[in-house]
Amino acid sequence: MPLALLALAVAAFGIGTTEFVMMGLLPAVAEDLGTSVPTAGHLVSAYAIGVVIGAPLLTAAGVRVPRRRMLIWLMALFAVGNLASALAPGYGTLLAGRVLAGLPHGAFFGVGAVVAAQLVAPERRARAVATMFLGLTVANIFGVPAGTALGHQLGWRATFLVVTAIGLLAMAALWALVPRLPLERGNGLGSELRALANRQVVLGLLTAVFGFAGVFAVYSYLAKTVTEVTGLADSSVTWVLALFGIGMTFGAFVAGPLTDRALRPTLYGSLAALSVVLVLFHYTAHHTWAALVTVTVIGAVGFMTTTPLQMLVMNSAHAAPTLASASNHSAFNLANAAGAWLGGAAISAGWGWTSPTLVGAGLALVGLVIALVAGALDRGGRPRVSRIVGRSPIRRKAAAHASR
């Protein structure tokens, strides 16, 4: 794998850390700024709003910017947003800083996925995209627990200063390791918008919204589930979340080669497995070891959906995949919000702390149905991978050399 994928993974690690670490810092932030924890919880939503808004807008604005330069600019905005969060004098400015930090999230992963696919041979593109996503999953194992611990020891502002430094490191790595990649001719905003309207792209985005909402319906209330139902101590929550992150990392690791071999079957299988394991968690949550194993499996099968969904929208968008790729991350964050809301509604209705597992299973099942319908409508049967972004730059150089 090219070293450039390491630079993308470092950036993904920083993004994943800042996205999820706020959940562990909410009590400290609320106390420092003199607000309640539920009000401080809006800082999590503010980041998601930034992702949903920024993914299409920033990608559209930079559609003619060389991709290496675009990645560096996006990480610069990410660093500025986290620095603004660290220096925020009050709740309102911190809210604005979180929105600013979230703006480049979807655009970065959208452009980064296209770049990763360009760096390798067509039969290894899903593995390259999955390698970038590994940075996001590793953040849940190391970055989020370390950032939470640092925030409690030195104050929550120290955590965002460190994340800012990670952003600057990622900028340097992108500048040093990512090659200058030529833009495909004729790929303007019009082409990207037409690709986004493709039926298969729309169905892929809907699959992401419903399928991944199943994960977040459970993940959003995982801490309360394992303390109130499983009976674990509050101090164990960090390790439970780390187990979920380990599952995510395993899922991302195996999803790459599976997606390269059989994209739609990988997507169908992961969504079906997700719906089944979420139902199982409704029962295993009452038993410590069974609950811990199930949490790990949820992370694995849940994150196994991300690579095939990413490749699906990129393949369906053909020669103009950047905006569709970025919009996929808006879909993931809509899934975050929708899953958390529906899971919370089930709890508020008095159905118990395990009720989000059944809600999540239902959402994953809806995502599977949409994916199956999309597959039936895709008369080609298999995505034409070679049309995503043309041949990789390395292969183009070899071909040009051979023609001389």
Side-chain angles (χ1 to χ4, degrees):
M1 286 289 182
L3 282 176
L5 295 178
L6 176 61
L8 294 172
V10 170
F13 177 84
I15 291 172
T17 299
T18 203
E19 179 180 16
F20 294 108
V21 77
M22 181 57 79
M23 298 174 187
L25 296 177
L26 285 181
V29 171
E31 182 180 359
D32 183 51
L33 299 182
T35 187
S36 66
V37 171
T39 299
H42 295 156
L43 296 167
V44 177
S45 302
Y47 185 91
I49 290 171
V51 178
V52 173
I53 295 173
L57 291 183
L58 292 180
T59 305
V63 72
R64 297 305 302 163
V65 177
R67 288 178 176 133
R68 174 174 174 265
R69 187 187 307 168
M70 184 67 176
L71 289 172
I72 294 172
W73 285 0
L74 289 170
M75 284 311 298
L77 181 58
F78 170 82
V80 169
N82 280 282
L83 182 61
S85 298
L87 302 178
Y91 175 78
T93 49
L94 179 56
L95 198 70
R98 289 292 288 170
V99 173
L100 186 61
L103 286 175
H105 176 125
F108 182 89
F109 280 118
V111 177
V114 174
V115 168
Q118 282 186 295
L119 293 171
V120 298
E123 65 273 12
R124 298 182 64 85
R125 282 176 170 157
R127 271 168 278 197
V129 172
T131 299
M132 178 185 68
F133 283 143
L134 280 175
L136 184 64
T137 65
V138 170
N140 282 273
I141 303 174
F142 299 109
V144 173
T148 302
L150 178 66
H152 288 302
Q153 290 295 320
L154 301 180
W156 61 269
R157 297 178 189 274
T159 299
F160 290 107
L161 286 175
V162 170
V163 174
T164 301
I166 295 173
L168 295 175
L169 175 63
M171 288 175 62
L174 292 167
W175 180 83
L177 300 177
V178 175
R180 298 179 186 272
L181 300 172
L183 289 170
E184 298 292 321
R185 291 183 178 180
N187 279 13
L189 181 56
S191 299
E192 294 284 348
L193 290 172
R194 285 191 295 273
L196 187 61
N198 180 286
R199 181 174 63 186
Q200 287 296 324
V201 172
V202 173
L203 289 172
L205 296 177
L206 285 174
T207 303
V209 170
F210 283 94
F212 217 66
V215 177
F216 278 102
V218 175
Y219 182 78
S220 301
Y221 305 98
L222 186 57
K224 274 293 187 180
T225 302
V226 297
T227 54
E228 297 292 332
V229 179
T230 311
L232 298 179
D234 290 342
S235 58
S236 301
V237 170
T238 298
W239 302 110
V240 173
L241 296 179
L243 281 177
F244 188 88
I246 290 171
M248 291 172 64
T249 302
F250 178 79
F253 183 78
V254 301
L258 288 176
T259 303
D260 277 326
R261 179 174 294 183
L263 191 156
R264 287 194 185 275
T266 301
L267 179 59
Y268 301 154
S270 58
L271 286 171
L274 178 61
S275 61
V276 170
V277 76
L278 287 176
V279 172
L280 286 177
F281 190 45
H282 184 74
Y283 302 98
T284 61
H286 299 273
H287 309 282
T288 301
W289 288 107
L292 296 177
V293 171
T294 310
V295 165
T296 307
V297 176
I298 292 172
V301 297
F303 212 78
M304 274 184 67
T305 64
T306 57
T307 297
L309 281 169
Q310 189 72 44
M311 296 306 298
L312 178 64
V313 297
M314 289 168 61
N315 290 343
S316 300
H318 303 312
T322 311
L323 186 56
S325 179
S327 297
N328 199 41
H329 293 275
S330 290
F332 284 141
N333 276 268
L334 286 174
N336 185 342
W341 182 77
L342 290 171
I347 294 170
S348 298
W351 296 346
W353 287 107
T354 58
S355 59
T357 63
L358 301 181
V359 172
L363 291 169
L365 194 59
V366 172
L368 175 59
V369 170
I370 296 172
L372 289 169
V373 170
L377 293 175
D378 186 10
R379 289 178 296 178
R382 295 182 179 179
R384 290 163 287 184
V385 177
S386 61
R387 293 186 62 185
I388 298 175
V389 284
R391 289 179 297 179
S392 72
I394 297 173
R395 294 167 72 92
R396 281 199 296 266
K397 288 180 180 178
H401 180 75
S403 66
R404 290 176 182 171

mmCIF file with all atom_site columns, all heavy atoms in Angstrom, residues 328-354:
data_model
loop_
_atom_site.group_PDB
_atom_site.id
_atom_site.type_symbol
_atom_site.label_atom_id
_atom_site.label_alt_id
_atom_site.label_comp_id
_atom_site.label_asym_id
_atom_site.label_entity_id
_atom_site.label_seq_id
_atom_site.pdbx_PDB_ins_code
_atom_site.Cartn_x
_atom_site.Cartn_y
_atom_site.Cartn_z
_atom_site.occupancy
_atom_site.B_iso_or_equiv
_atom_site.pdbx_formal_charge
_atom_site.auth_seq_id
_atom_site.auth_comp_id
_atom_site.auth_asym_id
_atom_site.auth_atom_id
_atom_site.pdbx_PDB_model_num
ATOM 1   N N   . ASN A 1 328 ? -21.932 10.842 1.079  1.00 0.00 ? 328 ASN A N   1
ATOM 2   C CA  . ASN A 1 328 ? -22.104 9.615  1.849  1.00 0.00 ? 328 ASN A CA  1
ATOM 3   C C   . ASN A 1 328 ? -21.841 9.857  3.330  1.00 0.00 ? 328 ASN A C   1
ATOM 4   O O   . ASN A 1 328 ? -22.482 9.252  4.196  1.00 0.00 ? 328 ASN A O   1
ATOM 5   C CB  . ASN A 1 328 ? -21.166 8.532  1.306  1.00 0.00 ? 328 ASN A CB  1
ATOM 6   C CG  . ASN A 1 328 ? -21.584 7.136  1.711  1.00 0.00 ? 328 ASN A CG  1
ATOM 7   O OD1 . ASN A 1 328 ? -22.764 6.810  1.710  1.00 0.00 ? 328 ASN A OD1 1
ATOM 8   N ND2 . ASN A 1 328 ? -20.621 6.310  2.064  1.00 0.00 ? 328 ASN A ND2 1
ATOM 9   N N   . HIS A 1 329 ? -20.912 10.766 3.635  1.00 0.00 ? 329 HIS A N   1
ATOM 10  C CA  . HIS A 1 329 ? -20.605 11.057 5.040  1.00 0.00 ? 329 HIS A CA  1
ATOM 11  C C   . HIS A 1 329 ? -21.654 11.972 5.665  1.00 0.00 ? 329 HIS A C   1
ATOM 12  O O   . HIS A 1 329 ? -21.872 11.921 6.881  1.00 0.00 ? 329 HIS A O   1
ATOM 13  C CB  . HIS A 1 329 ? -19.193 11.621 5.148  1.00 0.00 ? 329 HIS A CB  1
ATOM 14  C CG  . HIS A 1 329 ? -18.159 10.599 4.786  1.00 0.00 ? 329 HIS A CG  1
ATOM 15  N ND1 . HIS A 1 329 ? -17.671 9.693  5.688  1.00 0.00 ? 329 HIS A ND1 1
ATOM 16  C CD2 . HIS A 1 329 ? -17.577 10.305 3.601  1.00 0.00 ? 329 HIS A CD2 1
ATOM 17  C CE1 . HIS A 1 329 ? -16.813 8.887  5.083  1.00 0.00 ? 329 HIS A CE1 1
ATOM 18  N NE2 . HIS A 1 329 ? -16.747 9.236  3.820  1.00 0.00 ? 329 HIS A NE2 1
ATOM 19  N N   . SER A 1 330 ? -22.312 12.776 4.843  1.00 0.00 ? 330 SER A N   1
ATOM 20  C CA  . SER A 1 330 ? -23.492 13.480 5.341  1.00 0.00 ? 330 SER A CA  1
ATOM 21  C C   . SER A 1 330 ? -24.566 12.465 5.713  1.00 0.00 ? 330 SER A C   1
ATOM 22  O O   . SER A 1 330 ? -25.253 12.600 6.736  1.00 0.00 ? 330 SER A O   1
ATOM 23  C CB  . SER A 1 330 ? -24.029 14.442 4.271  1.00 0.00 ? 330 SER A CB  1
ATOM 24  O OG  . SER A 1 330 ? -23.159 15.528 4.072  1.00 0.00 ? 330 SER A OG  1
ATOM 25  N N   . ALA A 1 331 ? -24.704 11.428 4.876  1.00 0.00 ? 331 ALA A N   1
ATOM 26  C CA  . ALA A 1 331 ? -25.689 10.380 5.160  1.00 0.00 ? 331 ALA A CA  1
ATOM 27  C C   . ALA A 1 331 ? -25.359 9.660  6.461  1.00 0.00 ? 331 ALA A C   1
ATOM 28  O O   . ALA A 1 331 ? -26.257 9.373  7.268  1.00 0.00 ? 331 ALA A O   1
ATOM 29  C CB  . ALA A 1 331 ? -25.736 9.386  3.995  1.00 0.00 ? 331 ALA A CB  1
ATOM 30  N N   . PHE A 1 332 ? -24.070 9.374  6.692  1.00 0.00 ? 332 PHE A N   1
ATOM 31  C CA  . PHE A 1 332 ? -23.674 8.711  7.938  1.00 0.00 ? 332 PHE A CA  1
ATOM 32  C C   . PHE A 1 332 ? -24.019 9.574  9.147  1.00 0.00 ? 332 PHE A C   1
ATOM 33  O O   . PHE A 1 332 ? -24.428 9.055  10.195 1.00 0.00 ? 332 PHE A O   1
ATOM 34  C CB  . PHE A 1 332 ? -22.172 8.411  7.934  1.00 0.00 ? 332 PHE A CB  1
ATOM 35  C CG  . PHE A 1 332 ? -21.782 7.244  7.065  1.00 0.00 ? 332 PHE A CG  1
ATOM 36  C CD1 . PHE A 1 332 ? -20.623 7.273  6.321  1.00 0.00 ? 332 PHE A CD1 1
ATOM 37  C CD2 . PHE A 1 332 ? -22.575 6.108  6.990  1.00 0.00 ? 332 PHE A CD2 1
ATOM 38  C CE1 . PHE A 1 332 ? -20.252 6.207  5.519  1.00 0.00 ? 332 PHE A CE1 1
ATOM 39  C CE2 . PHE A 1 332 ? -22.224 5.029  6.189  1.00 0.00 ? 332 PHE A CE2 1
ATOM 40  C CZ  . PHE A 1 332 ? -21.056 5.075  5.457  1.00 0.00 ? 332 PHE A CZ  1
ATOM 41  N N   . ASN A 1 333 ? -23.843 10.881 9.035  1.00 0.00 ? 333 ASN A N   1
ATOM 42  C CA  . ASN A 1 333 ? -24.138 11.747 10.169 1.00 0.00 ? 333 ASN A CA  1
ATOM 43  C C   . ASN A 1 333 ? -25.630 11.967 10.352 1.00 0.00 ? 333 ASN A C   1
ATOM 44  O O   . ASN A 1 333 ? -26.100 12.153 11.481 1.00 0.00 ? 333 ASN A O   1
ATOM 45  C CB  . ASN A 1 333 ? -23.398 13.075 10.016 1.00 0.00 ? 333 ASN A CB  1
ATOM 46  C CG  . ASN A 1 333 ? -21.973 12.986 10.523 1.00 0.00 ? 333 ASN A CG  1
ATOM 47  O OD1 . ASN A 1 333 ? -21.685 13.262 11.674 1.00 0.00 ? 333 ASN A OD1 1
ATOM 48  N ND2 . ASN A 1 333 ? -21.072 12.552 9.656  1.00 0.00 ? 333 ASN A ND2 1
ATOM 49  N N   . LEU A 1 334 ? -26.398 11.927 9.269  1.00 0.00 ? 334 LEU A N   1
ATOM 50  C CA  . LEU A 1 334 ? -27.849 11.912 9.411  1.00 0.00 ? 334 LEU A CA  1
ATOM 51  C C   . LEU A 1 334 ? -28.281 10.629 10.113 1.00 0.00 ? 334 LEU A C   1
ATOM 52  O O   . LEU A 1 334 ? -29.199 10.643 10.938 1.00 0.00 ? 334 LEU A O   1
ATOM 53  C CB  . LEU A 1 334 ? -28.519 12.014 8.038  1.00 0.00 ? 334 LEU A CB  1
ATOM 54  C CG  . LEU A 1 334 ? -28.469 13.384 7.366  1.00 0.00 ? 334 LEU A CG  1
ATOM 55  C CD1 . LEU A 1 334 ? -29.034 13.297 5.942  1.00 0.00 ? 334 LEU A CD1 1
ATOM 56  C CD2 . LEU A 1 334 ? -29.251 14.424 8.171  1.00 0.00 ? 334 LEU A CD2 1
ATOM 57  N N   . ALA A 1 335 ? -27.594 9.531  9.790  1.00 0.00 ? 335 ALA A N   1
ATOM 58  C CA  . ALA A 1 335 ? -27.863 8.269  10.474 1.00 0.00 ? 335 ALA A CA  1
ATOM 59  C C   . ALA A 1 335 ? -27.552 8.388  11.960 1.00 0.00 ? 335 ALA A C   1
ATOM 60  O O   . ALA A 1 335 ? -28.284 7.846  12.808 1.00 0.00 ? 335 ALA A O   1
ATOM 61  C CB  . ALA A 1 335 ? -27.025 7.153  9.845  1.00 0.00 ? 335 ALA A CB  1
ATOM 62  N N   . ASN A 1 336 ? -26.482 9.080  12.284 1.00 0.00 ? 336 ASN A N   1
ATOM 63  C CA  . ASN A 1 336 ? -26.110 9.318  13.680 1.00 0.00 ? 336 ASN A CA  1
ATOM 64  C C   . ASN A 1 336 ? -27.245 10.013 14.420 1.00 0.00 ? 336 ASN A C   1
ATOM 65  O O   . ASN A 1 336 ? -27.703 9.564  15.484 1.00 0.00 ? 336 ASN A O   1
ATOM 66  C CB  . ASN A 1 336 ? -24.831 10.165 13.707 1.00 0.00 ? 336 ASN A CB  1
ATOM 67  C CG  . ASN A 1 336 ? -24.285 10.365 15.112 1.00 0.00 ? 336 ASN A CG  1
ATOM 68  O OD1 . ASN A 1 336 ? -24.984 10.178 16.094 1.00 0.00 ? 336 ASN A OD1 1
ATOM 69  N ND2 . ASN A 1 336 ? -23.034 10.763 15.197 1.00 0.00 ? 336 ASN A ND2 1
ATOM 70  N N   . ALA A 1 337 ? -27.713 11.116 13.838 1.00 0.00 ? 337 ALA A N   1
ATOM 71  C CA  . ALA A 1 337 ? -28.766 11.895 14.483 1.00 0.00 ? 337 ALA A CA  1
ATOM 72  C C   . ALA A 1 337 ? -30.077 11.118 14.560 1.00 0.00 ? 337 ALA A C   1
ATOM 73  O O   . ALA A 1 337 ? -30.748 11.094 15.602 1.00 0.00 ? 337 ALA A O   1
ATOM 74  C CB  . ALA A 1 337 ? -28.960 13.215 13.740 1.00 0.00 ? 337 ALA A CB  1
ATOM 75  N N   . ALA A 1 338 ? -30.467 10.471 13.442 1.00 0.00 ? 338 ALA A N   1
ATOM 76  C CA  . ALA A 1 338 ? -31.740 9.751  13.403 1.00 0.00 ? 338 ALA A CA  1
ATOM 77  C C   . ALA A 1 338 ? -31.728 8.553  14.342 1.00 0.00 ? 338 ALA A C   1
ATOM 78  O O   . ALA A 1 338 ? -32.704 8.295  15.064 1.00 0.00 ? 338 ALA A O   1
ATOM 79  C CB  . ALA A 1 338 ? -32.031 9.295  11.974 1.00 0.00 ? 338 ALA A CB  1
ATOM 80  N N   . GLY A 1 339 ? -30.616 7.806  14.349 1.00 0.00 ? 339 GLY A N   1
ATOM 81  C CA  . GLY A 1 339 ? -30.533 6.646  15.231 1.00 0.00 ? 339 GLY A CA  1
ATOM 82  C C   . GLY A 1 339 ? -30.601 7.032  16.688 1.00 0.00 ? 339 GLY A C   1
ATOM 83  O O   . GLY A 1 339 ? -31.315 6.399  17.482 1.00 0.00 ? 339 GLY A O   1
ATOM 84  N N   . ALA A 1 340 ? -29.867 8.089  17.068 1.00 0.00 ? 340 ALA A N   1
ATOM 85  C CA  . ALA A 1 340 ? -29.887 8.549  18.453 1.00 0.00 ? 340 ALA A CA  1
ATOM 86  C C   . ALA A 1 340 ? -31.280 9.016  18.858 1.00 0.00 ? 340 ALA A C   1
ATOM 87  O O   . ALA A 1 340 ? -31.758 8.731  19.968 1.00 0.00 ? 340 ALA A O   1
ATOM 88  C CB  . ALA A 1 340 ? -28.874 9.672  18.641 1.00 0.00 ? 340 ALA A CB  1
ATOM 89  N N   . TRP A 1 341 ? -31.965 9.729  17.951 1.00 0.00 ? 341 TRP A N   1
ATOM 90  C CA  . TRP A 1 341 ? -33.298 10.247 18.257 1.00 0.00 ? 341 TRP A CA  1
ATOM 91  C C   . TRP A 1 341 ? -34.307 9.113  18.416 1.00 0.00 ? 341 TRP A C   1
ATOM 92  O O   . TRP A 1 341 ? -35.091 9.091  19.375 1.00 0.00 ? 341 TRP A O   1
ATOM 93  C CB  . TRP A 1 341 ? -33.751 11.205 17.157 1.00 0.00 ? 341 TRP A CB  1
ATOM 94  C CG  . TRP A 1 341 ? -35.101 11.809 17.434 1.00 0.00 ? 341 TRP A CG  1
ATOM 95  C CD1 . TRP A 1 341 ? -35.401 12.818 18.308 1.00 0.00 ? 341 TRP A CD1 1
ATOM 96  C CD2 . TRP A 1 341 ? -36.342 11.388 16.849 1.00 0.00 ? 341 TRP A CD2 1
ATOM 97  N NE1 . TRP A 1 341 ? -36.763 13.069 18.296 1.00 0.00 ? 341 TRP A NE1 1
ATOM 98  C CE2 . TRP A 1 341 ? -37.359 12.212 17.411 1.00 0.00 ? 341 TRP A CE2 1
ATOM 99  C CE3 . TRP A 1 341 ? -36.691 10.428 15.906 1.00 0.00 ? 341 TRP A CE3 1
ATOM 100 C CZ2 . TRP A 1 341 ? -38.692 12.075 17.048 1.00 0.00 ? 341 TRP A CZ2 1
ATOM 101 C CZ3 . TRP A 1 341 ? -38.029 10.291 15.551 1.00 0.00 ? 341 TRP A CZ3 1
ATOM 102 C CH2 . TRP A 1 341 ? -39.014 11.108 16.120 1.00 0.00 ? 341 TRP A CH2 1
ATOM 103 N N   . LEU A 1 342 ? -34.301 8.154  17.506 1.00 0.00 ? 342 LEU A N   1
ATOM 104 C CA  . LEU A 1 342 ? -35.263 7.059  17.562 1.00 0.00 ? 342 LEU A CA  1
ATOM 105 C C   . LEU A 1 342 ? -34.989 6.144  18.751 1.00 0.00 ? 342 LEU A C   1
ATOM 106 O O   . LEU A 1 342 ? -35.918 5.679  19.418 1.00 0.00 ? 342 LEU A O   1
ATOM 107 C CB  . LEU A 1 342 ? -35.213 6.260  16.257 1.00 0.00 ? 342 LEU A CB  1
ATOM 108 C CG  . LEU A 1 342 ? -35.770 6.998  15.031 1.00 0.00 ? 342 LEU A CG  1
ATOM 109 C CD1 . LEU A 1 342 ? -35.474 6.216  13.751 1.00 0.00 ? 342 LEU A CD1 1
ATOM 110 C CD2 . LEU A 1 342 ? -37.272 7.232  15.166 1.00 0.00 ? 342 LEU A CD2 1
ATOM 111 N N   . GLY A 1 343 ? -33.705 5.888  19.030 1.00 0.00 ? 343 GLY A N   1
ATOM 112 C CA  . GLY A 1 343 ? -33.371 5.093  20.206 1.00 0.00 ? 343 GLY A CA  1
ATOM 113 C C   . GLY A 1 343 ? -33.809 5.790  21.481 1.00 0.00 ? 343 GLY A C   1
ATOM 114 O O   . GLY A 1 343 ? -34.346 5.156  22.408 1.00 0.00 ? 343 GLY A O   1
ATOM 115 N N   . GLY A 1 344 ? -33.587 7.113  21.553 1.00 0.00 ? 344 GLY A N   1
ATOM 116 C CA  . GLY A 1 344 ? -34.014 7.886  22.715 1.00 0.00 ? 344 GLY A CA  1
ATOM 117 C C   . GLY A 1 344 ? -35.522 7.914  22.862 1.00 0.00 ? 344 GLY A C   1
ATOM 118 O O   . GLY A 1 344 ? -36.050 7.883  23.987 1.00 0.00 ? 344 GLY A O   1
ATOM 119 N N   . ALA A 1 345 ? -36.237 7.956  21.733 1.00 0.00 ? 345 ALA A N   1
ATOM 120 C CA  . ALA A 1 345 ? -37.699 7.958  21.781 1.00 0.00 ? 345 ALA A CA  1
ATOM 121 C C   . ALA A 1 345 ? -38.220 6.650  22.377 1.00 0.00 ? 345 ALA A C   1
ATOM 122 O O   . ALA A 1 345 ? -39.192 6.650  23.140 1.00 0.00 ? 345 ALA A O   1
ATOM 123 C CB  . ALA A 1 345 ? -38.263 8.158  20.376 1.00 0.00 ? 345 ALA A CB  1
ATOM 124 N N   . ALA A 1 346 ? -37.560 5.538  22.035 1.00 0.00 ? 346 ALA A N   1
ATOM 125 C CA  . ALA A 1 346 ? -37.972 4.248  22.587 1.00 0.00 ? 346 ALA A CA  1
ATOM 126 C C   . ALA A 1 346 ? -37.757 4.208  24.102 1.00 0.00 ? 346 ALA A C   1
ATOM 127 O O   . ALA A 1 346 ? -38.600 3.697  24.855 1.00 0.00 ? 346 ALA A O   1
ATOM 128 C CB  . ALA A 1 346 ? -37.190 3.119  21.906 1.00 0.00 ? 346 ALA A CB  1
ATOM 129 N N   . ILE A 1 347 ? -36.645 4.758  24.549 1.00 0.00 ? 347 ILE A N   1
ATOM 130 C CA  . ILE A 1 347 ? -36.364 4.801  25.992 1.00 0.00 ? 347 ILE A CA  1
ATOM 131 C C   . ILE A 1 347 ? -37.368 5.705  26.699 1.00 0.00 ? 347 ILE A C   1
ATOM 132 O O   . ILE A 1 347 ? -37.913 5.358  27.757 1.00 0.00 ? 347 ILE A O   1
ATOM 133 C CB  . ILE A 1 347 ? -34.928 5.282  26.235 1.00 0.00 ? 347 ILE A CB  1
ATOM 134 C CG1 . ILE A 1 347 ? -33.926 4.258  25.702 1.00 0.00 ? 347 ILE A CG1 1
ATOM 135 C CG2 . ILE A 1 347 ? -34.685 5.509  27.731 1.00 0.00 ? 347 ILE A CG2 1
ATOM 136 C CD1 . ILE A 1 347 ? -32.497 4.763  25.677 1.00 0.00 ? 347 ILE A CD1 1
ATOM 137 N N   . SER A 1 348 ? -37.642 6.878  26.115 1.00 0.00 ? 348 SER A N   1
ATOM 138 C CA  . SER A 1 348 ? -38.585 7.828  26.716 1.00 0.00 ? 348 SER A CA  1
ATOM 139 C C   . SER A 1 348 ? -39.996 7.257  26.788 1.00 0.00 ? 348 SER A C   1
ATOM 140 O O   . SER A 1 348 ? -40.783 7.644  27.657 1.00 0.00 ? 348 SER A O   1
ATOM 141 C CB  . SER A 1 348 ? -38.596 9.129  25.910 1.00 0.00 ? 348 SER A CB  1
ATOM 142 O OG  . SER A 1 348 ? -37.319 9.744  25.923 1.00 0.00 ? 348 SER A OG  1
ATOM 143 N N   . ALA A 1 349 ? -40.307 6.340  25.865 1.00 0.00 ? 349 ALA A N   1
ATOM 144 C CA  . ALA A 1 349 ? -41.638 5.715  25.872 1.00 0.00 ? 349 ALA A CA  1
ATOM 145 C C   . ALA A 1 349 ? -41.770 4.674  26.968 1.00 0.00 ? 349 ALA A C   1
ATOM 146 O O   . ALA A 1 349 ? -42.853 4.098  27.158 1.00 0.00 ? 349 ALA A O   1
ATOM 147 C CB  . ALA A 1 349 ? -41.916 5.077  24.513 1.00 0.00 ? 349 ALA A CB  1
ATOM 148 N N   . GLY A 1 350 ? -40.676 4.432  27.696 1.00 0.00 ? 350 GLY A N   1
ATOM 149 C CA  . GLY A 1 350 ? -40.719 3.493  28.803 1.00 0.00 ? 350 GLY A CA  1
ATOM 150 C C   . GLY A 1 350 ? -40.451 2.058  28.415 1.00 0.00 ? 350 GLY A C   1
ATOM 151 O O   . GLY A 1 350 ? -40.769 1.137  29.177 1.00 0.00 ? 350 GLY A O   1
ATOM 152 N N   . TRP A 1 351 ? -39.835 1.845  27.255 1.00 0.00 ? 351 TRP A N   1
ATOM 153 C CA  . TRP A 1 351 ? -39.596 0.481  26.777 1.00 0.00 ? 351 TRP A CA  1
ATOM 154 C C   . TRP A 1 351 ? -38.293 -0.110 27.309 1.00 0.00 ? 351 TRP A C   1
ATOM 155 O O   . TRP A 1 351 ? -37.969 -1.253 26.995 1.00 0.00 ? 351 TRP A O   1
ATOM 156 C CB  . TRP A 1 351 ? -39.603 0.460  25.252 1.00 0.00 ? 351 TRP A CB  1
ATOM 157 C CG  . TRP A 1 351 ? -40.936 0.825  24.670 1.00 0.00 ? 351 TRP A CG  1
ATOM 158 C CD1 . TRP A 1 351 ? -42.120 0.893  25.329 1.00 0.00 ? 351 TRP A CD1 1
ATOM 159 C CD2 . TRP A 1 351 ? -41.218 1.188  23.316 1.00 0.00 ? 351 TRP A CD2 1
ATOM 160 N NE1 . TRP A 1 351 ? -43.131 1.267  24.485 1.00 0.00 ? 351 TRP A NE1 1
ATOM 161 C CE2 . TRP A 1 351 ? -42.602 1.461  23.231 1.00 0.00 ? 351 TRP A CE2 1
ATOM 162 C CE3 . TRP A 1 351 ? -40.445 1.310  22.169 1.00 0.00 ? 351 TRP A CE3 1
ATOM 163 C CZ2 . TRP A 1 351 ? -43.216 1.841  22.054 1.00 0.00 ? 351 TRP A CZ2 1
ATOM 164 C CZ3 . TRP A 1 351 ? -41.054 1.683  20.984 1.00 0.00 ? 351 TRP A CZ3 1
ATOM 165 C CH2 . TRP A 1 351 ? -42.428 1.945  20.933 1.00 0.00 ? 351 TRP A CH2 1
ATOM 166 N N   . GLY A 1 352 ? -37.519 0.667  28.049 1.00 0.00 ? 352 GLY A N   1
ATOM 167 C CA  . GLY A 1 352 ? -36.321 0.129  28.686 1.00 0.00 ? 352 GLY A CA  1
ATOM 168 C C   . GLY A 1 352 ? -35.041 0.453  27.930 1.00 0.00 ? 352 GLY A C   1
ATOM 169 O O   . GLY A 1 352 ? -35.070 0.867  26.766 1.00 0.00 ? 352 GLY A O   1
ATOM 170 N N   . TRP A 1 353 ? -33.911 0.260  28.623 1.00 0.00 ? 353 TRP A N   1
ATOM 171 C CA  . TRP A 1 353 ? -32.616 0.622  28.053 1.00 0.00 ? 353 TRP A CA  1
ATOM 172 C C   . TRP A 1 353 ? -32.190 -0.293 26.918 1.00 0.00 ? 353 TRP A C   1
ATOM 173 O O   . TRP A 1 353 ? -31.303 0.072  26.133 1.00 0.00 ? 353 TRP A O   1
ATOM 174 C CB  . TRP A 1 353 ? -31.550 0.620  29.154 1.00 0.00 ? 353 TRP A CB  1
ATOM 175 C CG  . TRP A 1 353 ? -31.661 1.779  30.093 1.00 0.00 ? 353 TRP A CG  1
ATOM 176 C CD1 . TRP A 1 353 ? -32.101 1.765  31.369 1.00 0.00 ? 353 TRP A CD1 1
ATOM 177 C CD2 . TRP A 1 353 ? -31.346 3.140  29.791 1.00 0.00 ? 353 TRP A CD2 1
ATOM 178 N NE1 . TRP A 1 353 ? -32.087 3.029  31.907 1.00 0.00 ? 353 TRP A NE1 1
ATOM 179 C CE2 . TRP A 1 353 ? -31.622 3.900  30.957 1.00 0.00 ? 353 TRP A CE2 1
ATOM 180 C CE3 . TRP A 1 353 ? -30.858 3.796  28.655 1.00 0.00 ? 353 TRP A CE3 1
ATOM 181 C CZ2 . TRP A 1 353 ? -31.424 5.280  31.021 1.00 0.00 ? 353 TRP A CZ2 1
ATOM 182 C CZ3 . TRP A 1 353 ? -30.663 5.174  28.716 1.00 0.00 ? 353 TRP A CZ3 1
ATOM 183 C CH2 . TRP A 1 353 ? -30.946 5.895  29.880 1.00 0.00 ? 353 TRP A CH2 1
ATOM 184 N N   . THR A 1 354 ? -32.774 -1.477 26.813 1.00 0.00 ? 354 THR A N   1
ATOM 185 C CA  . THR A 1 354 ? -32.416 -2.359 25.701 1.00 0.00 ? 354 THR A CA  1
ATOM 186 C C   . THR A 1 354 ? -33.307 -2.146 24.473 1.00 0.00 ? 354 THR A C   1
ATOM 187 O O   . THR A 1 354 ? -33.057 -2.747 23.433 1.00 0.00 ? 354 THR A O   1
ATOM 188 C CB  . THR A 1 354 ? -32.514 -3.837 26.121 1.00 0.00 ? 354 THR A CB  1
ATOM 189 O OG1 . THR A 1 354 ? -33.840 -4.121 26.562 1.00 0.00 ? 354 THR A OG1 1
ATOM 190 C CG2 . THR A 1 354 ? -31.522 -4.147 27.240 1.00 0.00 ? 354 THR A CG2 1
#
